Amino acid sequence: MKIAPFGIEQWMNEYETRCTYNLAETCVDSLTIAQLLELAGHDGGLLDEMLPMKLTYGSIEGTDRLRSAVAALYERQGTGNVLIAHGAIGANHLVHLTLVEPGDRVISVMPTYQQHYSIPESIGADVRILHLREQNAWLPDLDELAALADGGAKLVVINNPNNPTGSLMDRAFLEQVAAICDRAGAWLLCDEVYRGIDQADPGTTVSVADIYDRGISTGSMSKAFALAGLRLGWAVAPASLIRELTIHRDYNTISVGMVDDLLASIALEGAGAILDRSRALTRGNLAALSEWIDAQPRISWIKPRGGTTALLKHDLPLTSRDLCVQLLEETGVMLTPGSAMAMEGYLRIGYAPNPGVLAAGLPLLGDYLHGH
Ligand SMILES: Cc1ncc(COP(=O)(O)O)c(C=O)c1O
């Protein structure tokens, strides 16, 4: 099966270990195991719990403890609505493989995580792109969505909060998207890996799984929970679809690993404290980034309302890739070129690293922009 190369992943693989100030990262500054236990209020004794663990495949579909903790992130979901996967990347892959057949109409927003249009394309689906535009604050145009869905669609894919723009659809907006999907008879997949770190209180926006009976939410420990090293994600959907996904999952997952399951359970049971940390960090860092942008004549943006990334428009006479490579070589600062996500002319910045990294990287980026 032929598939387009994954632009972002290739860029990260090539340069991530060669930079000094990583402003390409999309995870909230990752936690150590010690920080995780402290935030989650775990009373120590983790090693005692782990040493006698016999490392079998563990609970194949994920422990009840883990699936209950995932379900608790939603308004009206139970363990039968949860499928545990290898990261959201694994969950997204399973959803596409399960639902999409050659010739099916699939509508995906762009820009977003490339999986959502390249996998359906590789399957031979009729993929229609719903372009997010700056003049709409990077939100989907609902009339355009309705026109694309006219005559029926198998799957509509959105991403909330959006990577890379940081745009955020609120409940009322999502309900309108769901109504369009309903009229088209479509499933609605919302990639919600950045859910829980909105800039405004309460900090979490509703999930499509809770507002639409064909709504599917994918999420993970990587971004808002700052635990990408666990490689653990999920899909939340109607139980009948979870059973379909499980048939495919049996071919590529078996289980996610007992240690990951245990640490993710501990983290999700302490979700409040972990998300509080992530919100404080993303809000403080975005305020710092915003202040810096105000003083940059060569950069413009739509300020993010959630997530960890922003899309910056620049006016340098360079391709985004050449700019990013030169910036990296001259300053050690790593951004992501818009070309890696079909957005030439833009740069993506990840603003959720340790605040010290942002504070050191932004002046260097400013000097670079000023000097070229
Ligand atoms: C929108 C989106 N979905 C999914 C993923 C994959 O995340 P995970 O680490 O959970 O596999 C990413 C990673 O960058 C992402 O940005």
Side-chain angles (χ1 to χ4, degrees):
M1 186 167 95
K2 290 202 171 36
I3 191 160
F6 203 144
I8 283 279
E9 299 301 336
Q10 290 198 331
W11 170 255
M12 300 300 276
N13 294 350
E14 198 173 346
Y15 289 106
E16 202 169 20
T17 52
R18 291 156 60 180
C19 66
T20 314
Y21 307 101
N22 190 345
L23 302 183
E25 177 62 64
T26 55
C27 300
V28 174
D29 183 30
S30 297
L31 295 167
T32 62
I33 294 176
Q35 285 174 310
L36 156 62
L37 295 182
E38 196 187 324
L39 280 170
H42 196 268
D43 54 3
L46 176 68
L47 207 54
D48 292 342
E49 204 174 324
M50 285 175 67
L51 289 180
M53 263 169 83
K54 191 165 173 175
L55 292 173
T56 64
Y57 284 117
S59 177
I60 297 298
E61 295 182 351
T63 57
D64 280 343
R65 181 182 178 190
L66 175 63
R67 287 184 299 128
S68 302
V70 171
L73 300 173
Y74 297 82
E75 288 173 11
R76 51 183 189 94
Q77 309 294 329
T79 52
N81 302 106
V82 177
L83 173 116
I84 301 296
H86 285 154
I89 197 170
N92 288 334
H93 198 223
L94 281 168
V95 172
H96 286 292
L97 286 188
T98 304
L99 286 180
V100 181
E101 293 180 69
D104 280 348
R105 188 183 305 179
V106 175
I107 300 166
S108 170
V109 295
M110 182 189 274
T112 188
Y113 203 50
Q114 192 181 332
Q115 279 195 301
H116 295 304
Y117 45 92
S118 289
I119 296 177
E121 254 161 33
S122 79
I123 293 171
D126 168 18
V127 176
R128 307 200 175 176
I129 298 298
L130 177 59
H131 290 281
L132 305 180
R133 299 200 182 80
E134 221 167 343
Q135 64 264 31
N136 299 331
W138 298 120
L139 290 173
D141 179 322
L142 292 175
D143 292 335
E144 212 173 312
L145 173 59
L148 289 173
D150 190 30
K154 184 64 167 290
L155 176 66
V156 172
V157 190
I158 55 176
N159 172 205
N160 200 42
N162 175 260
N163 168 13
T165 65
S167 66
L168 179 70
M169 292 172 265
D170 62 16
R171 180 188 276 261
F173 196 100
L174 290 168
E175 281 170 350
Q176 293 184 69
V177 173
I180 294 170
C181 291
D182 200 23
R183 283 198 292 279
W187 289 93
L188 173 59
L189 166 60
C190 188
D191 184 324
E192 296 174 354
V193 281
Y194 299 96
R195 180 166 177 251
I197 41 173
D198 299 351
Q199 287 290 315
D201 285 339
T204 300
T205 296
V206 73
S207 165
V208 300
D210 285 328
I211 61 166
Y212 180 45
D213 57 9
R214 270 169 294 194
I216 308 161
S217 162
T218 49
S220 83
M221 301 309 300
S222 299
K223 312 295 182 181
F225 290 100
L227 292 165
L230 295 184
R231 300 309 307 128
L232 194 139
W234 54 83
V236 167
S240 55
L241 182 66
I242 294 295
R243 287 192 288 275
E244 296 293 314
L245 295 175
T246 304
I247 292 174
H248 285 265
R249 181 185 186 274
D250 283 340
Y251 283 94
N252 69 8
T253 307
I254 305 183
S255 68
V256 293
M258 296 173 72
V259 175
D260 292 349
D261 187 310
L262 173 65
L263 291 179
S265 300
I266 293 171
L268 290 174
E269 285 164 5
I274 294 179
L275 290 178
D276 281 349
R277 168 194 179 263
S278 294
R279 284 178 198 142
L281 194 143
T282 47
R283 291 176 186 188
N285 278 7
L286 186 62
L289 175 61
S290 185
E291 199 175 305
W292 178 84
I293 299 258
D294 286 345
Q296 299 302 318
R298 313 204 68 174
I299 296 275
S300 62
W301 73 338
I302 304 286
K303 189 174 171 182
R305 294 180 55 224
T308 61
T309 57
L311 208 49
L312 311 180
K313 191 173 190 170
H314 70 90
D315 70 356
L316 270 67
L318 286 174
T319 65
S320 55
R321 186 181 171 92
D322 286 350
L323 189 160
C324 285
V325 171
Q326 194 177 61
L327 172 72
L328 189 74
E329 283 167 356
E330 290 182 15
T331 68
V333 174
M334 180 171 173
L335 298 176
T336 304
S339 58
M341 57 201 90
M343 295 297 286
E344 188 51 89
Y346 292 88
L347 307 166
R348 186 187 72 182
I349 186 165
Y351 61 81
N354 181 294
V357 174
L358 193 67
L362 288 180
L364 294 171
L365 176 56
D367 290 348
Y368 171 88
L369 293 170
H370 193 67
H372 287 76

